[in-house]
Amino acid sequence: MGFLFSGVFWGLILVLLGLAIIIRVVFNIHIPVFRIVFALVLIFLGLKVLVGGNWFRSDRNSAIFQQSRITINNEATEYNIVFGSAVIDAGTPLQEGKGDTISVNTVFGESRLTLSSSVPTLVKVNALFSGARMPDGNQISFGEYIYKNKAYSDTAAFRKIEVNVVFGSLVLSENRTN
């Protein structure tokens, strides 16, 4: 799939489009470039299905066209769910005296984000054509909502999670630990 997003592919498309315009103006012959490109992309995708190659980039921080279980670690700062579903565990402890900022993006997918009640956390949810349920009972479909767990304090280090949900769903829950 990387070929479809490469400079070579789009360079060829622009050259073909330019040639089609020249042929139309000079020889009055119409060549449907976009239909031909669309057909070639479908053929390319069909061959990928037959051969069984990897379609999309997939790593332990993403769920793209798949189901996944993701644990937030101190290495990655962005987690993506696209046309898939994921259970995301955000209960890993903070590094001593340091806060962190994490981004979780859900597009046409489903995410379940689980917080630990012992880790100070602020979650900012941005929703667009989505369903987002919070542990305090609030739900949003459009707009922004900020959720703070009981361990959160403005004066201490905390984990900030920015969640963007577009045409998807989010369920935010909190594990109670003593």
Side-chain angles (χ1 to χ4, degrees):
M1 195 70 169
F3 177 72
L4 290 180
F5 299 107
S6 69
V8 173
F9 176 77
W10 289 106
L12 286 172
I13 296 300
L14 290 175
V15 168
L16 290 174
L17 185 60
L19 287 173
I21 291 171
I22 290 171
I23 291 171
R24 179 151 191 181
V25 170
V26 174
F27 300 109
N28 200 21
I29 299 172
H30 177 68
I31 299 173
V33 175
F34 290 109
R35 289 181 185 173
I36 292 170
V37 169
F38 182 69
L40 290 174
V41 168
L42 288 178
I43 291 169
F44 176 74
L45 292 175
L47 289 173
K48 287 290 249 181
V49 168
L50 289 174
V51 173
N54 286 336
W55 283 39
F56 298 98
R57 173 185 62 89
S58 183
D59 56 24
R60 67 178 189 222
N61 300 331
S62 299
I64 302 174
F65 285 102
Q66 65 183 358
Q67 293 180 347
S68 186
R69 180 170 283 284
I70 299 171
T71 301
I72 289 180
N73 54 39
N74 294 326
E75 298 166 7
T77 59
E78 185 174 8
Y79 302 87
N80 299 301
I81 298 89
V82 181
F83 289 105
S85 65
V87 175
I88 305 165
D89 180 12
T92 56
L94 293 171
Q95 292 179 353
E96 189 66 34
K98 290 186 178 181
D100 57 10
T101 301
I102 295 163
S103 175
V104 176
N105 303 304
T106 303
V107 181
F108 288 105
E110 176 186 7
S111 56
R112 299 180 70 78
L113 181 61
T114 305
L115 309 175
S116 171
S117 61
S118 62
V119 177
T121 307
L122 177 139
V123 181
K124 179 181 172 189
V125 178
N126 299 305
L128 179 65
F129 296 106
S130 304
R133 286 189 299 158
M134 307 300 140
D136 59 7
N138 286 315
Q139 294 185 354
I140 61 169
S141 295
F142 292 94
E144 180 180 298
Y145 184 79
I146 295 178
Y147 173 78
K148 300 173 186 174
N149 69 354
K150 293 192 187 298
Y152 173 81
S153 170
D154 289 330
T155 58
F158 63 92
R159 173 170 289 145
K160 178 181 179 185
I161 302 175
E162 184 165 333
V163 181
N164 300 303
V165 186
V166 180
F167 291 105
S169 70
L170 166 74
V171 175
L172 186 65
S173 62
E174 192 169 343
N175 284 340
R176 308 282 182 218
T177 57
N178 294 329

